[in-house]
Amino acid sequence: MGILSGHIRLDFRSPEPIYLQIVRQVEKLLQDGILKPGDQLPTVRQLAIDLRINFSTVARAYHVLDEQKLISTQRGRGTYI
């Protein structure tokens, strides 16, 4: 498990969608200084495996984080804070 998957706790009974739980928790990890600019995030596929959720759920969370300019995906290099 990576740094991100080790900190994310999902509540499958919550009315909040899983992808938004991921977004909210990444924002909190940034705010708390656990994630810092330049940190590399796991691939969408790896995080989905680690969290045992669907690939498209993680992709949606990463898309929201990218729109908020909190992460940047560089093709062939990875996703970074």
Side-chain angles (χ1 to χ4, degrees):
M1 274 211 195
I3 186 169
L4 192 56
S5 55
H7 284 91
I8 292 184
R9 299 285 174 253
L10 300 176
D11 180 357
F12 294 98
R13 295 183 176 151
S14 171
E16 181 179 39
I18 298 298
Y19 81 96
L20 287 179
Q21 291 181 43
I22 294 169
V23 168
R24 181 175 42 78
Q25 290 181 49
V26 168
E27 291 169 343
K28 178 94 170 90
L29 291 169
L30 269 165
Q31 194 175 45
D32 293 348
I34 294 167
L35 290 175
K36 297 173 182 58
D39 285 350
Q40 185 170 9
L41 299 181
T43 64
V44 169
R45 188 169 308 280
Q46 187 59 56
L47 187 57
I49 290 168
D50 290 349
L51 296 176
R52 297 182 178 158
I53 60 174
N54 192 292
F55 163 83
S56 62
T57 303
V58 177
R60 191 169 182 187
Y62 274 24
H63 179 74
V64 171
L65 290 165
D66 189 51
E67 284 182 335
Q68 293 177 347
K69 306 272 191 246
L70 294 178
I71 65 171
S72 172
T73 302
Q74 301 166 8
R75 190 175 295 277
R77 294 198 59 226
T79 301
Y80 297 86
I81 296 295

